[in-house]
Amino acid sequence: MDHDQIPEIALEWHRTGRKAALATVVETWGSAPRQPGSQLAISGEGQIMGSVSGGCVEGAVVTEALEAMEDGATRLLSFGVSDETAFAVGLACGGTIRVLVEPVGKALPEDMLADLVAARAAHHPVAYAVHPETGARALYRPGQDGSADLRLRSDKAGFEEDGRFIAPHNPPLRLIVVGAVHIAQPLVAMARACGYAPTLIDPRDTFAAADRFPGETVLDDWPDAALAALAPDSRTAIVTLTHDPKLDDPAIRYALRSPVFYLGCLGSKKTHASRVARLQGAGYSEAEIARIHAPVGLDIGAKTPAEIALSVLAQITQVLRRPG
C-alpha cells in the first residue's frame, strides 16, 4: 500500500469491518522526521500504515487508537521525548510531539472521510479542519474559509488562533515547460527532485527528441492545445523558454486566464516589453499581465543553463511558499 494514501487506507479498513482510526501529528519539535499533518492509520487488528514519528511513540499511539475505536472518543496525546530517546530514532534533540487520534465512523464521520478521499482522488484541493476541544470538524474547498485557503497555499498544517487544527490536502505539484531547450534539461531534473511532476511541450521535433529528455513526458502538440488537455490548476507552474512568440504567446495567453500559481517567461526586458504590447493588443488587462514573472527567475547572476534553471526553480518555490 502507498504510504501517502493514509486516509484512503483508513476508509477501506473501516468499510471492510476492520475498524480504523487516524492519528495525526498536530504539533512537534523542529527536528522531527514527521511534520504536522503527517498521519498514521491504525486498524482494529493493530495493523498500521504511515507514521507519526521515527518510531518512538507509535506503540503508545496504537494502544490509544485501539481504545478509541472501542469508546468512540477522540484523544489528543502529548509525548515528551528525552534527548536520549530522540537520538535513538535519528533526531538531533528531544522535545514534545502532540498527536490527535480520531476513530473513524465515530469521532470522524465516515461520510466526511469519504468526501476527503474523493477530493484527493479527483486532485481537488481540500482542507480538513478539526477543533480538538469541541470536536467540530469541517472540510473546506478553496474560497470557503480564509485560514484554510492560507493553509492550502502554504501547504503547511497547523493550529489557528481559534483553536482549530487545519491540514491541507493538495493535489500534486506540476511544472509545465514550454520549450524543450537546453535550460529545460536541468530544470525538469531539479523540479522532479523537489517533488514536481514535469511535462515538456514543444512541437519542434529536433528539440522534443526523446533522447534529450529520457524518462520525461514530452508533448509535441501546439502549446495552447497541450495546455488545454493538461488542464493546469492552482498547483501548477508554467515556464516558457522558446523565445519564439509563435510558441510562447499561445501558452502565455492560456496561462494568464488559468488558475496556475506561477507563470515565468524567459527573455530580456526588451523582449518582455514587446510581449506586453502584444498581450495588451489582444485585450489582456494590466492585472493579468502583471502575473508574469519576467525576466524569469530570481536575480542571482545566473549564467549557465543549470544556474538559470536554479534561479527559475528558486523563484517558483518563493512564489509557492511565500506568496505576496
Side-chain angles (χ1 to χ4, degrees), residues 41-198:
I42 306 101
S43 77
E45 302 160 348
Q47 184 178 0
I48 63 172
M49 187 61 65
S51 66
V52 291
S53 76
C56 53
V57 304
E58 266 76 2
V61 171
V62 170
T63 298
E64 293 283 353
L66 292 173
E67 293 180 2
M69 283 180 247
E70 294 301 318
D71 62 30
T74 297
R75 282 147 168 80
L76 183 58
L77 312 174
S78 295
F79 300 95
V81 182
S82 68
D83 288 344
E84 293 78 11
T85 302
F87 183 79
V89 295
L91 304 178
C93 59
T96 300
I97 180 171
R98 299 178 75 200
V99 178
L100 181 68
V101 178
E102 301 172 276
V104 178
K106 296 180 178 179
L108 174 55
E110 177 185 341
D111 59 352
M112 183 175 288
L113 180 57
D115 286 348
L116 173 62
V117 168
R120 285 163 55 94
H123 290 177
H124 293 160
V126 63
Y128 173 68
V130 56
H131 197 299
E133 299 300 325
T134 67
R137 292 171 172 80
L139 289 179
Y140 293 112
R141 270 67 179 181
Q144 294 182 330
D145 182 272
S147 296
D149 286 348
L150 290 175
R151 291 289 174 186
L152 285 167
R153 186 62 185 266
S154 68
D155 209 15
K156 185 176 181 180
F159 275 105
E160 301 299 319
E161 291 184 1
D162 60 10
R164 292 180 301 163
F165 173 78
I166 301 180
H169 293 261
N170 279 309
L173 289 165
R174 292 189 291 167
L175 173 64
I176 300 174
V177 178
V178 178
V181 297
H182 196 177
I183 295 169
Q185 292 174 308
L187 179 57
V188 296
M190 292 177 189
R192 187 171 293 283
C194 290
Y196 289 78

